[in-house]
Amino acid sequence: MIFGRSGSGKSTVSLDLHRLTGLPLYHVDRYSHLAHWIKRPSKDFLAIQKNIVEQDKWIFDGNSIYSLEMRYSRAQLCLYFNYS
């Protein structure tokens, strides 16, 4: 699980880790909005992420406070990026 400040390199590092490990990569931003940046209903957003974090292996990149605890409770490693 990778989270932290905007512009700190989360997506770049998560993509590098995905390429190195072959683990599935998921970006929180891809699930938080529908087409044209319409915010997805919270219950749907959480249900999608719940299905993902229940898998055995994953890399999750993003900052959603609504799902932070869900992701954190299942993560084997958490990286927080503080600086850009």
Side-chain angles (χ1 to χ4, degrees):
M1 176 178 142
I2 300 172
F3 67 114
R5 298 180 71 160
S6 296
S8 61
K10 298 179 301 293
S11 295
T12 301
V13 171
S14 64
L15 184 57
D16 288 345
L17 286 173
H18 164 69
R19 289 178 177 150
L20 286 169
T21 64
L23 294 172
L25 172 60
Y26 303 96
H27 300 282
V28 170
D29 290 345
R30 290 193 178 156
Y31 306 103
S32 61
H33 291 83
L34 301 167
H36 308 291
W37 289 102
I38 297 171
K39 187 170 179 160
R40 184 183 302 274
S42 294
K43 66 180 176 88
D44 297 341
F45 175 60
L46 293 173
I48 291 168
Q49 289 188 73
K50 184 176 185 287
N51 287 332
I52 294 169
V53 299
E54 288 179 346
Q55 297 175 21
D56 289 335
K57 299 177 182 180
W58 44 263
I59 298 170
F60 230 126
D61 156 36
N63 283 326
S64 171
I65 297 300
Y66 298 111
S67 63
L68 183 64
E69 184 178 341
M70 178 191 319
R71 289 178 283 131
Y72 183 79
S73 70
R74 296 271 305 159
Q76 293 178 356
L77 175 69
C78 295
L79 301 175
Y80 178 75
F81 285 36
N82 193 28
Y83 303 103
S84 56

Coordinates of all heavy atoms in Angstrom, one line a residue:
M1 N 0.9 -1.2 0.0 CA 0.0 0.0 0.0 C 0.9 1.2 0.0 O 1.8 1.3 0.8 CB -0.9 0.0 1.2 CG -1.7 1.2 1.4 SD -2.7 1.0 2.9 CE -2.7 2.7 3.5
I2 N 0.6 2.1 -0.9 CA 1.4 3.4 -1.0 C 0.4 4.5 -0.9 O -0.5 4.6 -1.7 CB 2.2 3.4 -2.4 CG1 3.1 2.2 -2.4 CG2 2.9 4.7 -2.5 CD1 3.8 2.0 -3.8
F3 N 0.7 5.4 0.0 CA -0.1 6.6 0.1 C 0.8 7.8 0.5 O 1.9 7.6 0.9 CB -1.3 6.4 1.1 CG -0.9 6.2 2.5 CD1 -1.3 7.1 3.5 CD2 -0.2 5.1 2.9 CE1 -0.9 6.9 4.8 CE2 0.1 4.8 4.2 CZ -0.3 5.8 5.2
G4 N 0.2 9.0 0.5 CA 1.0 10.1 0.8 C 0.6 11.4 0.1 O -0.4 11.5 -0.5
R5 N 1.5 12.4 0.1 CA 1.2 13.7 -0.4 C 1.2 13.7 -1.9 O 1.8 12.9 -2.6 CB 2.3 14.7 0.1 CG 2.3 14.8 1.6 CD 3.3 15.7 2.0 NE 2.9 17.1 1.7 CZ 3.4 18.1 2.2 NH1 4.3 18.0 3.2 NH2 3.0 19.3 1.8
S6 N 0.4 14.6 -2.5 CA 0.3 14.8 -3.9 C 1.7 15.1 -4.5 O 2.4 15.9 -3.9 CB -0.7 15.9 -4.2 OG -2.0 15.5 -3.8
G7 N 2.0 14.5 -5.6 CA 3.2 14.8 -6.3 C 4.4 14.2 -5.7 O 5.6 14.6 -6.0
S8 N 4.2 13.3 -4.8 CA 5.4 12.7 -4.0 C 6.0 11.5 -4.7 O 7.0 11.0 -4.3 CB 5.0 12.3 -2.6 OG 4.0 11.4 -2.6
G9 N 5.4 11.0 -5.8 CA 5.9 9.9 -6.6 C 5.2 8.6 -6.3 O 5.7 7.5 -6.7
K10 N 4.0 8.6 -5.7 CA 3.3 7.4 -5.4 C 3.1 6.5 -6.6 O 3.4 5.3 -6.6 CB 2.0 7.7 -4.7 CG 2.1 8.4 -3.4 CD 0.7 8.7 -2.8 CE -0.2 9.5 -3.7 NZ 0.2 10.9 -3.9
S11 N 2.5 7.1 -7.6 CA 2.2 6.4 -8.8 C 3.4 5.8 -9.6 O 3.4 4.7 -10.1 CB 1.3 7.2 -9.8 OG 0.1 7.6 -9.2
T12 N 4.4 6.6 -9.6 CA 5.7 6.2 -10.2 C 6.3 5.0 -9.5 O 6.6 4.0 -10.2 CB 6.7 7.4 -10.3 OG1 6.1 8.5 -11.0 CG2 8.0 6.9 -10.9
V13 N 6.4 5.1 -8.2 CA 7.0 3.9 -7.5 C 6.1 2.7 -7.5 O 6.5 1.6 -7.7 CB 7.3 4.4 -6.0 CG1 7.7 3.2 -5.2 CG2 8.4 5.4 -6.0
S14 N 4.7 2.9 -7.4 CA 3.8 1.8 -7.5 C 3.9 1.1 -8.8 O 3.9 -0.2 -8.9 CB 2.4 2.2 -7.2 OG 1.9 3.1 -8.1
L15 N 4.1 1.8 -9.9 CA 4.2 1.2 -11.2 C 5.6 0.5 -11.3 O 5.6 -0.6 -11.9 CB 4.1 2.3 -12.3 CG 4.2 1.8 -13.8 CD1 3.1 0.8 -14.0 CD2 4.1 3.0 -14.7
D16 N 6.6 1.0 -10.8 CA 7.9 0.3 -10.7 C 7.8 -1.0 -10.0 O 8.3 -2.0 -10.4 CB 9.0 1.2 -10.1 CG 9.4 2.4 -11.0 OD1 9.1 2.4 -12.2 OD2 10.1 3.3 -10.5
L17 N 7.2 -0.9 -8.8 CA 7.0 -2.1 -8.0 C 6.2 -3.2 -8.7 O 6.4 -4.4 -8.7 CB 6.3 -1.8 -6.6 CG 7.2 -1.1 -5.6 CD1 6.4 -0.7 -4.4 CD2 8.4 -2.0 -5.2
H18 N 5.1 -2.7 -9.4 CA 4.3 -3.6 -10.2 C 5.1 -4.3 -11.3 O 5.1 -5.5 -11.4 CB 3.2 -2.8 -10.8 CG 2.5 -3.5 -12.0 ND1 1.7 -4.7 -11.8 CD2 2.5 -3.3 -13.3 CE1 1.2 -5.1 -12.9 NE2 1.7 -4.2 -13.9
R19 N 6.0 -3.6 -11.9 CA 6.8 -4.1 -13.0 C 7.8 -5.1 -12.4 O 8.1 -6.1 -13.0 CB 7.5 -3.0 -13.8 CG 6.5 -2.3 -14.7 CD 7.2 -1.1 -15.4 NE 6.3 -0.5 -16.3 CZ 6.4 0.8 -16.6 NH1 7.4 1.6 -16.1 NH2 5.5 1.4 -17.4
L20 N 8.4 -4.8 -11.3 CA 9.4 -5.7 -10.6 C 8.8 -6.9 -10.1 O 9.5 -8.0 -10.1 CB 10.1 -4.9 -9.5 CG 11.1 -3.8 -10.0 CD1 11.6 -3.0 -8.8 CD2 12.3 -4.5 -10.6
T21 N 7.6 -6.8 -9.5 CA 7.1 -8.0 -8.7 C 6.0 -8.7 -9.5 O 5.7 -9.9 -9.2 CB 6.4 -7.5 -7.4 OG1 5.3 -6.6 -7.7 CG2 7.4 -6.8 -6.5
G22 N 5.4 -8.1 -10.5 CA 4.3 -8.7 -11.2 C 3.0 -8.7 -10.4 O 2.0 -9.2 -10.8
L23 N 3.0 -8.0 -9.2 CA 1.7 -7.9 -8.4 C 0.7 -7.0 -9.1 O 1.1 -6.0 -9.7 CB 2.1 -7.4 -7.0 CG 2.9 -8.3 -6.1 CD1 3.3 -7.5 -4.8 CD2 2.2 -9.5 -5.8
P24 N -0.6 -7.3 -9.0 CA -1.6 -6.5 -9.6 C -1.5 -5.1 -8.9 O -1.4 -4.9 -7.7 CB -2.9 -7.1 -9.2 CG -2.6 -8.4 -8.6 CD -1.1 -8.5 -8.3
L25 N -1.7 -4.1 -9.8 CA -1.6 -2.7 -9.3 C -3.0 -2.0 -9.5 O -3.6 -2.1 -10.5 CB -0.6 -1.9 -10.1 CG -0.5 -0.4 -9.9 CD1 -0.2 0.0 -8.5 CD2 0.5 0.2 -10.9
Y26 N -3.4 -1.3 -8.4 CA -4.7 -0.6 -8.4 C -4.5 0.8 -7.9 O -3.8 1.0 -6.9 CB -5.7 -1.3 -7.5 CG -5.9 -2.7 -7.8 CD1 -5.2 -3.8 -7.2 CD2 -6.8 -3.1 -8.8 CE1 -5.4 -5.1 -7.5 CE2 -7.0 -4.4 -9.2 CZ -6.3 -5.4 -8.5 OH -6.5 -6.7 -8.8
H27 N -5.0 1.8 -8.6 CA -5.0 3.2 -8.3 C -6.3 3.6 -7.7 O -7.3 3.5 -8.4 CB -4.6 4.0 -9.5 CG -3.3 3.7 -10.1 ND1 -2.1 4.1 -9.6 CD2 -3.0 3.0 -11.2 CE1 -1.1 3.6 -10.4 NE2 -1.7 2.9 -11.4
V28 N -6.3 4.1 -6.5 CA -7.5 4.6 -5.8 C -8.3 5.5 -6.7 O -9.6 5.4 -6.8 CB -7.2 5.2 -4.5 CG1 -8.5 5.9 -3.9 CG2 -6.7 4.2 -3.5
D29 N -7.6 6.4 -7.4 CA -8.3 7.5 -8.2 C -9.2 6.8 -9.3 O -10.2 7.4 -9.7 CB -7.3 8.4 -8.8 CG -6.7 9.3 -7.8 OD1 -7.2 9.4 -6.7 OD2 -5.7 10.0 -8.1
R30 N -8.8 5.7 -9.8 CA -9.6 5.0 -10.8 C -10.9 4.6 -10.4 O -11.8 4.3 -11.2 CB -8.8 3.9 -11.4 CG -7.6 4.3 -12.2 CD -7.0 3.2 -13.1 NE -5.9 3.8 -13.8 CZ -5.0 3.0 -14.3 NH1 -5.0 1.7 -14.1 NH2 -4.0 3.6 -15.0
Y31 N -11.1 4.4 -9.1 CA -12.3 3.9 -8.5 C -13.2 4.9 -7.8 O -14.3 4.7 -7.5 CB -12.0 2.7 -7.6 CG -11.2 1.7 -8.2 CD1 -9.8 1.6 -8.0 CD2 -11.7 0.8 -9.2 CE1 -9.0 0.6 -8.6 CE2 -10.9 -0.1 -9.9 CZ -9.6 -0.2 -9.6 OH -8.8 -1.1 -10.2
S32 N -12.6 6.1 -7.6 CA -13.3 7.1 -6.8 C -14.3 7.9 -7.7 O -15.2 8.6 -7.1 CB -12.3 8.0 -6.1 OG -11.5 8.7 -7.0
H33 N -14.1 7.9 -9.0 CA -14.9 8.7 -9.9 C -15.4 7.9 -11.1 O -14.8 7.0 -11.5 CB -14.1 9.9 -10.4 CG -13.8 10.9 -9.4 ND1 -12.8 10.8 -8.5 CD2 -14.5 12.1 -9.0 CE1 -12.7 11.8 -7.7 NE2 -13.8 12.6 -8.0
L34 N -16.6 8.3 -11.6 CA -17.1 7.8 -12.8 C -16.6 8.6 -14.0 O -15.8 9.5 -13.8 CB -18.7 7.8 -12.7 CG -19.3 7.0 -11.5 CD1 -20.7 7.4 -11.4 CD2 -19.1 5.5 -11.7
A35 N -17.2 8.4 -15.1 CA -16.8 9.2 -16.3 C -17.0 10.7 -16.0 O -17.9 11.1 -15.3 CB -17.6 8.8 -17.5
H36 N -16.2 11.5 -16.6 CA -16.3 13.0 -16.5 C -16.2 13.5 -15.1 O -16.7 14.5 -14.7 CB -17.6 13.5 -17.1 CG -17.9 13.0 -18.5 ND1 -17.1 13.4 -19.6 CD2 -18.8 12.1 -19.0 CE1 -17.6 12.7 -20.7 NE2 -18.6 11.9 -20.3
W37 N -15.4 12.8 -14.3 CA -15.0 13.1 -12.9 C -16.3 13.3 -12.0 O -16.3 14.1 -11.1 CB -14.2 14.4 -12.9 CG -12.8 14.1 -13.4 CD1 -12.3 14.4 -14.6 CD2 -11.8 13.4 -12.7 NE1 -11.0 13.9 -14.7 CE2 -10.7 13.3 -13.6 CE3 -11.7 12.8 -11.4 CZ2 -9.5 12.6 -13.2 CZ3 -10.5 12.2 -11.1 CH2 -9.4 12.1 -12.0
I38 N -17.3 12.5 -12.3 CA -18.4 12.4 -11.4 C -18.1 11.5 -10.2 O -17.7 10.4 -10.5 CB -19.7 12.0 -12.1 CG1 -20.1 13.0 -13.2 CG2 -20.9 11.8 -11.2 CD1 -21.1 12.5 -14.2
K39 N -18.2 12.0 -9.0 CA -17.9 11.2 -7.9 C -18.7 10.0 -7.7 O -20.0 10.0 -7.8 CB -17.9 12.0 -6.6 CG -17.4 11.3 -5.4 CD -17.3 12.3 -4.2 CE -16.7 11.4 -3.1 NZ -16.2 12.2 -2.0
R40 N -18.1 8.8 -7.6 CA -18.8 7.5 -7.4 C -19.4 7.5 -6.0 O -18.8 8.0 -5.1 CB -17.8 6.4 -7.5 CG -18.4 5.0 -7.5 CD -17.4 3.9 -7.5 NE -16.6 4.0 -8.7 CZ -16.8 3.4 -9.9 NH1 -18.0 2.8 -10.1 NH2 -16.0 3.5 -10.9
P41 N -20.6 7.0 -5.9 CA -21.2 6.9 -4.5 C -20.3 6.1 -3.6 O -19.7 5.1 -4.0 CB -22.5 6.1 -4.8 CG -22.9 6.3 -6.2 CD -21.5 6.5 -6.9
S42 N -20.2 6.6 -2.3 CA -19.3 6.1 -1.4 C -19.4 4.6 -1.2 O -18.4 3.8 -1.1 CB -19.4 6.8 0.0 OG -19.0 8.1 -0.1
K43 N -20.7 4.1 -1.1 CA -20.9 2.6 -0.8 C -20.3 1.8 -2.0 O -19.7 0.7 -1.8 CB -22.3 2.3 -0.5 CG -23.3 2.5 -1.7 CD -24.7 2.2 -1.3 CE -25.7 2.5 -2.4 NZ -25.9 1.4 -3.3
D44 N -20.5 2.3 -3.2 CA -19.9 1.6 -4.4 C -18.4 1.6 -4.4 O -17.7 0.6 -4.7 CB -20.5 2.2 -5.7 CG -22.0 2.0 -5.8 OD1 -22.6 1.2 -5.1 OD2 -22.6 2.8 -6.6
F45 N -17.9 2.8 -4.1 CA -16.4 3.0 -4.0 C -15.8 2.0 -3.0 O -14.8 1.4 -3.3 CB -16.1 4.4 -3.6 CG -14.7 4.8 -3.4 CD1 -13.8 4.7 -4.4 CD2 -14.3 5.3 -2.2 CE1 -12.4 5.0 -4.2 CE2 -13.0 5.7 -2.0 CZ -12.1 5.5 -3.0
L46 N -16.4 1.9 -1.8 CA -15.9 1.0 -0.8 C -16.0 -0.4 -1.2 O -15.2 -1.3 -0.9 CB -16.5 1.3 0.6 CG -16.2 2.7 1.2 CD1 -17.0 2.9 2.4 CD2 -14.7 2.8 1.5
A47 N -17.1 -0.8 -1.8 CA -17.4 -2.2 -2.2 C -16.3 -2.6 -3.2 O -15.8 -3.8 -3.1 CB -18.8 -2.3 -2.8
I48 N -16.0 -1.8 -4.2 CA -15.0 -2.1 -5.2 C -13.6 -2.4 -4.5 O -13.0 -3.4 -4.7 CB -14.8 -1.0 -6.2 CG1 -16.1 -0.9 -7.1 CG2 -13.6 -1.1 -7.0 CD1 -16.2 0.4 -7.9
Q49 N -13.3 -1.5 -3.6 CA -12.0 -1.6 -2.9 C -12.0 -2.9 -2.0 O -11.0 -3.5 -1.8 CB -11.6 -0.4 -2.1 CG -11.3 0.7 -3.1 CD -10.8 1.9 -2.3 OE1 -9.7 1.9 -1.8 NE2 -11.6 2.9 -2.3
K50 N -13.1 -3.1 -1.3 CA -13.2 -4.3 -0.5 C -12.9 -5.6 -1.3 O -12.2 -6.5 -0.8 CB -14.6 -4.4 0.2 CG -14.7 -5.6 1.2 CD -16.1 -5.5 1.8 CE -16.2 -6.5 2.9 NZ -16.4 -7.9 2.4
N51 N -13.5 -5.7 -2.5 CA -13.2 -6.8 -3.3 C -11.7 -6.9 -3.7 O -11.2 -8.0 -3.8 CB -14.1 -6.7 -4.6 CG -15.5 -7.0 -4.4 OD1 -15.9 -7.8 -3.4 ND2 -16.4 -6.5 -5.2
I52 N -11.1 -5.8 -3.9 CA -9.7 -5.8 -4.3 C -8.8 -6.2 -3.1 O -8.0 -7.1 -3.2 CB -9.2 -4.5 -4.8 CG1 -9.9 -4.2 -6.1 CG2 -7.7 -4.4 -5.0 CD1 -9.8 -2.8 -6.7
V53 N -9.0 -5.6 -1.9 CA -8.1 -5.9 -0.8 C -8.3 -7.3 -0.2 O -7.5 -7.8 0.5 CB -8.3 -4.8 0.4 CG1 -7.9 -3.5 -0.1 CG2 -9.6 -4.8 1.0
E54 N -9.4 -7.9 -0.5 CA -9.6 -9.3 -0.1 C -8.8 -10.3 -0.9 O -8.7 -11.5 -0.5 CB -11.1 -9.7 -0.1 CG -11.9 -9.0 1.0 CD -13.4 -9.3 0.9 OE1 -13.9 -9.8 -0.1 OE2 -14.0 -9.0 1.9
Q55 N -8.2 -9.8 -2.0 CA -7.3 -10.7 -2.8 C -6.0 -10.9 -2.0 O -5.7 -10.1 -1.1 CB -7.0 -10.1 -4.1 CG -8.2 -9.8 -5.0 CD -7.8 -9.1 -6.3 OE1 -6.6 -9.0 -6.7 NE2 -8.8 -8.5 -6.9
D56 N -5.3 -12.0 -2.3 CA -4.1 -12.3 -1.6 C -2.9 -11.3 -1.8 O -2.2 -11.0 -0.9 CB -3.6 -13.7 -1.9 CG -4.5 -14.8 -1.3 OD1 -5.2 -14.5 -0.3 OD2 -4.5 -15.9 -1.9
K57 N -2.8 -10.8 -3.0 CA -1.7 -10.0 -3.4 C -2.2 -8.8 -4.2 O -3.0 -8.9 -5.1 CB -0.7 -10.8 -4.2 CG -0.1 -11.9 -3.5 CD 0.8 -12.7 -4.4 CE 1.3 -14.0 -3.7 NZ 2.2 -14.7 -4.5
W58 N -1.6 -7.6 -3.9 CA -2.0 -6.4 -4.6 C -1.0 -5.3 -4.2 O -0.4 -5.3 -3.2 CB -3.4 -5.9 -4.4 CG -3.9 -6.0 -2.9 CD1 -4.6 -7.0 -2.4 CD2 -3.7 -5.0 -1.9 NE1 -4.9 -6.8 -1.1 CE2 -4.3 -5.5 -0.7 CE3 -3.0 -3.8 -1.8 CZ2 -4.3 -4.9 0.5 CZ3 -3.0 -3.1 -0.6 CH2 -3.6 -3.7 0.5
I59 N -1.0 -4.3 -5.0 CA -0.3 -3.0 -4.7 C -1.5 -1.9 -4.9 O -2.1 -1.9 -6.0 CB 0.8 -2.6 -5.7 CG1 1.9 -3.7 -5.6 CG2 1.4 -1.2 -5.4 CD1 3.0 -3.6 -6.6
F60 N -1.7 -1.1 -3.9 CA -2.7 -0.1 -4.0 C -2.1 1.2 -3.8 O -1.3 1.5 -2.8 CB -3.8 -0.3 -2.9 CG -5.2 -0.3 -3.3 CD1 -6.0 -1.3 -3.1 CD2 -5.7 0.8 -4.1 CE1 -7.3 -1.3 -3.5 CE2 -7.0 0.8 -4.5 CZ -7.8 -0.2 -4.2
D61 N -2.3 2.1 -4.7 CA -1.7 3.5 -4.7 C -2.8 4.5 -4.6 O -3.8 4.5 -5.3 CB -1.0 3.6 -6.0 CG -0.8 5.1 -6.5 OD1 -0.6 5.9 -5.6 OD2 -0.9 5.3 -7.7
G62 N -2.8 5.3 -3.5 CA -3.8 6.4 -3.4 C -4.0 6.8 -2.0 O -3.5 6.2 -1.0
N63 N -4.8 7.9 -1.9 CA -5.0 8.6 -0.6 C -6.4 8.6 0.0 O -6.6 9.3 0.9 CB -4.6 10.0 -0.8 CG -3.1 10.2 -0.8 OD1 -2.4 9.4 -0.1 ND2 -2.6 11.1 -1.5
S64 N -7.3 7.9 -0.5 CA -8.7 8.0 0.0 C -8.8 7.7 1.5 O -8.4 6.6 1.9 CB -9.6 7.0 -0.8 OG -10.9 7.0 -0.2
I65 N -9.2 8.7 2.2 CA -9.3 8.5 3.7 C -10.5 7.5 4.0 O -10.4 6.8 4.9 CB -9.6 9.9 4.3 CG1 -8.4 10.8 4.2 CG2 -10.0 9.7 5.8 CD1 -7.2 10.3 4.7
Y66 N -11.5 7.5 3.1 CA -12.6 6.6 3.3 C -12.3 5.2 3.3 O -12.9 4.4 4.0 CB -13.7 6.9 2.2 CG -14.3 8.3 2.2 CD1 -14.0 9.1 1.2 CD2 -15.0 8.7 3.3 CE1 -14.5 10.4 1.2 CE2 -15.5 10.0 3.3 CZ -15.2 10.9 2.3 OH -15.7 12.1 2.3
S67 N -11.2 4.8 2.6 CA -10.9 3.4 2.5 C -9.5 3.1 3.1 O -9.0 2.0 3.0 CB -10.9 2.9 1.1 OG -10.0 3.7 0.3
L68 N -8.9 4.1 3.7 CA -7.5 3.9 4.2 C -7.4 2.8 5.2 O -6.5 1.9 5.1 CB -7.0 5.2 4.9 CG -5.6 5.2 5.4 CD1 -4.6 5.0 4.2 CD2 -5.3 6.5 6.1
E69 N -8.3 2.7 6.2 CA -8.3 1.7 7.2 C -8.5 0.3 6.6 O -7.8 -0.6 7.0 CB -9.4 2.0 8.3 CG -9.3 0.9 9.4 CD -10.4 1.2 10.5 OE1 -10.9 2.4 10.5 OE2 -10.7 0.3 11.2
M70 N -9.4 0.2 5.6 CA -9.6 -1.1 5.0 C -8.4 -1.6 4.3 O -8.0 -2.7 4.4 CB -10.7 -0.9 3.9 CG -11.0 -2.2 3.1 SD -12.1 -1.9 1.7 CE -13.3 -0.7 2.3
R71 N -7.7 -0.7 3.5 CA -6.5 -1.1 2.9 C -5.3 -1.4 3.9 O -4.6 -2.3 3.8 CB -6.0 0.0 1.9 CG -7.0 0.1 0.7 CD -6.6 1.2 -0.3 NE -7.0 2.5 0.3 CZ -6.3 3.5 0.4 NH1 -5.0 3.5 -0.1 NH2 -6.7 4.7 0.9
Y72 N -5.2 -0.5 4.9 CA -4.1 -0.6 5.8 C -4.3 -1.9 6.6 O -3.3 -2.6 6.9 CB -4.2 0.6 6.8 CG -3.1 0.6 7.8 CD1 -1.8 1.0 7.5 CD2 -3.3 0.2 9.1 CE1 -0.8 1.0 8.4 CE2 -2.3 0.2 10.1 CZ -1.1 0.6 9.7 OH 0.0 0.6 10.6
S73 N -5.5 -2.3 7.0 CA -5.7 -3.5 7.8 C -5.3 -4.8 7.0 O -5.0 -5.8 7.7 CB -7.1 -3.6 8.3 OG -8.0 -3.9 7.2
R74 N -5.2 -4.8 5.7 CA -4.9 -6.0 4.9 C -3.5 -5.9 4.3 O -3.0 -6.9 3.8 CB -5.9 -6.1 3.8 CG -7.3 -6.4 4.3 CD -7.6 -7.9 4.4 NE -7.3 -8.6 3.2 CZ -7.0 -9.9 3.2 NH1 -7.1 -10.6 4.3 NH2 -6.7 -10.5 2.0
A75 N -2.8 -4.7 4.4 CA -1.5 -4.5 3.8 C -0.4 -5.2 4.6 O -0.4 -5.2 5.8 CB -1.2 -3.1 3.6
Q76 N 0.5 -5.8 3.8 CA 1.7 -6.4 4.5 C 2.8 -5.3 4.6 O 3.7 -5.4 5.5 CB 2.2 -7.5 3.7 CG 1.3 -8.7 3.7 CD 1.8 -9.9 2.9 OE1 2.8 -9.8 2.2 NE2 1.0 -11.0 2.9
L77 N 2.8 -4.3 3.8 CA 3.7 -3.2 3.8 C 3.0 -1.9 3.4 O 2.3 -1.9 2.5 CB 4.9 -3.5 2.8 CG 5.9 -2.4 2.6 CD1 6.8 -2.3 3.8 CD2 6.8 -2.7 1.4
C78 N 3.3 -0.9 4.2 CA 2.7 0.4 3.9 C 3.9 1.4 3.7 O 4.7 1.5 4.6 CB 1.8 0.9 5.0 SG 0.4 -0.1 5.3
L79 N 3.8 2.2 2.6 CA 4.8 3.2 2.4 C 4.1 4.5 2.3 O 3.1 4.7 1.6 CB 5.5 3.0 1.0 CG 6.2 1.6 0.8 CD1 6.7 1.5 -0.6 CD2 7.3 1.5 1.8
Y80 N 4.5 5.5 3.1 CA 4.0 6.8 3.2 C 5.0 7.8 2.5 O 6.1 7.9 3.0 CB 3.7 7.3 4.6 CG 3.1 8.7 4.6 CD1 1.9 9.0 4.2 CD2 4.0 9.7 5.0 CE1 1.4 10.3 4.2 CE2 3.5 11.0 5.1 CZ 2.2 11.3 4.6 OH 1.7 12.6 4.7
F81 N 4.6 8.5 1.5 CA 5.5 9.4 0.8 C 5.1 10.8 1.3 O 4.0 11.3 1.0 CB 5.3 9.3 -0.7 CG 5.9 8.1 -1.3 CD1 5.9 6.9 -0.7 CD2 6.4 8.1 -2.6 CE1 6.5 5.7 -1.2 CE2 7.0 7.0 -3.1 CZ 7.0 5.8 -2.4
N82 N 6.1 11.5 1.9 CA 5.8 12.8 2.5 C 6.3 13.9 1.7 O 5.9 15.0 1.9 CB 6.5 12.8 3.9 CG 6.0 13.9 4.8 OD1 4.9 14.4 4.6 ND2 6.9 14.4 5.6
Y83 N 7.3 13.7 0.8 CA 7.9 14.8 0.1 C 7.8 14.6 -1.4 O 7.8 13.5 -1.9 CB 9.4 14.9 0.5 CG 9.6 15.1 1.9 CD1 10.1 14.0 2.7 CD2 9.4 16.3 2.5 CE1 10.3 14.2 4.1 CE2 9.6 16.5 3.9 CZ 10.0 15.4 4.7 OH 10.2 15.6 6.0
S84 N 7.7 15.8 -2.1 CA 7.7 15.7 -3.5 C 9.1 15.8 -4.1 O 10.0 16.0 -3.4 CB 6.8 16.8 -4.1 OG 7.2 18.1 -3.7

